[in-house]
Amino acid sequence: MSERRALRRRIRVWLAVFVVCLVLSGLTAFPLVHELRWAEDLLSSSASPVPEHFPALMEWITRVRTGIDTADAEYPFVLYGTDWLAFAHLVIAVAFYGPYRDPVRNIWVIEFGMIACAGIIPLALICGPIRDIPFWWSVIDMSFGVFGVIPLLIVHRRIKRLEAMERTPDPVHAAAPAPAA
């Protein structure tokens, strides 16, 4: 396998990992009501150390579940916002098909993703306090940007390497010299 093909394959693997995580993150926003009930049941079970060792987490999950249950029962249209959040994740994931097909030409999608990951941090720091989100939860939210940018930085670096390789002829595919007459 040529070095270029191997590099393209590694780029595609990292992109696939990123897209799968983005899709899973989006899909979890659809069944939010059920997920929170399940999480609260799991965390408050007798086998869980959370109530004893992490009471603030338990209180937060209970508060969020109560709020979501109330919204679901009395104001279900509010949860429509999380449906759009999920949809946005799925649409953004589709955009990464461009770099999957042609990484050099579509490097801008990777750069856009890196900017979006960086934008998570000020959003959490500004909107978290406005929405009465505990700081430690905002740190969890910010970690999505920090961990999300890692595969994109790796892909970006590899695309730049691929771009440099494409500027030089591939010795395997270089045209054979014309036979002497």
Side-chain angles (χ1 to χ4, degrees):
M1 179 183 299
S2 77
E3 190 177 347
R4 286 182 199 180
R5 282 189 16 194
L7 188 55
R8 274 184 183 275
R9 190 172 67 62
R10 288 192 297 271
I11 288 168
R12 287 180 170 165
V13 166
W14 277 106
L15 282 172
V17 167
F18 182 80
V19 166
V20 165
C21 291
L22 191 58
V23 167
L24 289 175
S25 177
L27 291 177
T28 62
F30 283 120
L32 199 54
V33 174
H34 303 294
E35 287 172 337
L36 278 163
R37 288 179 190 156
W38 175 79
E40 185 182 35
D41 289 345
L42 181 70
L43 294 176
S44 64
S45 73
S46 61
S48 173
V50 172
E52 182 182 344
H53 298 291
F54 303 101
L57 174 60
M58 195 68 238
E59 290 170 18
W60 175 247
I61 294 297
T62 300
R63 181 172 183 223
V64 172
R65 196 260 321 134
T66 301
I68 293 293
D69 279 350
T70 302
D72 187 42
E74 299 178 30
Y75 313 102
F77 54 86
V78 172
L79 297 178
Y80 191 51
T82 62
D83 297 337
W84 281 104
L85 171 71
F87 179 71
H89 277 75
L90 301 176
V91 169
I92 293 167
V94 170
F96 284 89
Y97 180 66
Y100 187 87
R101 276 190 32 233
D102 187 346
V104 173
R105 184 174 174 198
N106 293 297
I107 194 170
W108 68 270
V109 176
I110 306 303
E111 293 165 347
F112 168 81
M114 291 165 47
I115 291 167
C117 286
I120 290 171
I121 294 169
L123 178 78
L125 290 173
I126 294 166
C127 295
I130 291 170
R131 302 288 184 211
D132 200 24
I133 306 296
F135 180 72
W136 57 267
W137 193 266
S138 293
V139 170
I140 292 170
D141 290 339
M142 289 185 278
S143 74
F144 283 91
V146 172
F147 290 115
V149 80
I150 292 170
L152 295 178
L153 285 168
I154 292 168
V155 166
H156 191 270
R157 187 181 56 190
R158 289 182 176 172
I159 291 173
K160 286 296 190 181
R161 194 171 346 149
L162 180 65
E163 181 180 37
M165 287 175 148
E166 288 182 354
R167 280 191 242 129
T168 60
D170 187 351
V172 174
H173 296 99

